[in-house]
Amino acid sequence: LPPPSPPPREQPIVSCLVCLDSAGTIKETSRTLCSTVCGHVFCSTCLEEAVKRKKQCPVCRKKLTKKQYHPLFI
Amino acid sequence: LPPPSPPPREQPIVSCLVCLDSAGTIKETSRTLCSTVCGHVFCSTCLEEAVKRKKQCPVCRKKLTKKQYHPLFI
Ligand SMILES: [Zn+2]
Ligand SMILES: [Zn+2]
Ligand SMILES: [Zn+2]
Ligand SMILES: [Zn+2]
């Protein structure tokens, strides 16, 4: 018999920090998962809204322009 | 009885694109999960090595300096 496999490690589920939709849901609904350069993750819809309205990161309030975030390929 | 819950959506497991360690393993071993501004994800050990040796992203070969990646808070 093969040895028992180790218990699976806990893996984070990546979600938009504004709408809380998971990476899976974001992809299924034609949005893009994005990260700011401050390292906070959002869906493209919530991030574009934040850049337009507040010009700052919804989590840490760092000043945000379009150059300060990018799509995240996970 | 409560209604049956919907099937769970498939969620990506985030891993370093060089050593393939998962986000869970990376955290447990005192490394940091990082993203480049080109949107590729690595552990801090593999990324620092790539910046030092090749000065380019291991995936897309974009030129990389220390200003072109950041920790990813997921
Ligand atoms: Zn969102
Ligand atoms: Zn932030
Ligand atoms: Zn690695
Ligand atoms: Zn890249």
Side-chain angles (χ1 to χ4, degrees), chain A residues 16 19 43 46:
Chain A
C16 172
C19 68
C43 75
C46 292

Side-chain angles (χ1 to χ4, degrees), chain B residues 15-36:
Chain B
S15 304
C16 172
L17 290 163
V18 171
C19 67
L20 305 182
D21 284 349
S22 68
T25 300
I26 290 167
K27 288 180 189 185
E28 284 168 14
T29 52
S30 303
R31 286 170 289 165
T32 306
L33 192 70
C34 296
S35 174
T36 59

Side-chain angles (χ1 to χ4, degrees), chain B residues 6-68:
Chain B
R9 290 175 193 274
E10 283 218 13
Q11 299 299 339
I13 289 184
V14 182
S15 304
C16 172
L17 290 163
V18 171
C19 67
L20 305 182
D21 284 349
S22 68
T25 300
I26 290 167
K27 288 180 189 185
E28 284 168 14
T29 52
S30 303
R31 286 170 289 165
T32 306
L33 192 70
C34 296
S35 174
T36 59
V37 295
C38 43
H40 297 119
V41 174
F42 306 94
C43 75
S44 47
T45 303
C46 292
L47 189 49
E48 284 161 16
E49 187 77 6
V51 170
K52 200 192 295 181
R53 289 203 181 194
K54 303 254 190 174
K55 300 179 177 61
Q56 61 183 18
C57 174
V59 173
C60 71
R61 301 190 182 173
K62 185 185 145 53
K63 190 169 167 281
L64 274 191
T65 69
K66 284 186 184 182
K67 291 192 174 177
Q68 283 152 325

Side-chain angles (χ1 to χ4, degrees), chain A residues 9-14 17 22-25 27-28 35-41 70-74, chain B residues 9-14 17 22-25 27-28 35-41 70-74:
Chain A
R9 289 174 194 275
E10 282 218 13
Q11 298 299 339
I13 289 184
V14 182
L17 290 163
S22 69
T25 301
K27 288 180 189 183
E28 283 168 14
S35 174
T36 59
V37 295
C38 43
H40 297 118
V41 173
H70 56 81
L72 193 59
F73 301 109
I74 60 167
Chain B
R9 290 175 193 274
E10 283 218 13
Q11 299 299 339
I13 289 184
V14 182
L17 290 163
S22 68
T25 300
K27 288 180 189 185
E28 284 168 14
S35 174
T36 59
V37 295
C38 43
H40 297 119
V41 174
H70 56 81
L72 193 59
F73 301 109
I74 60 166

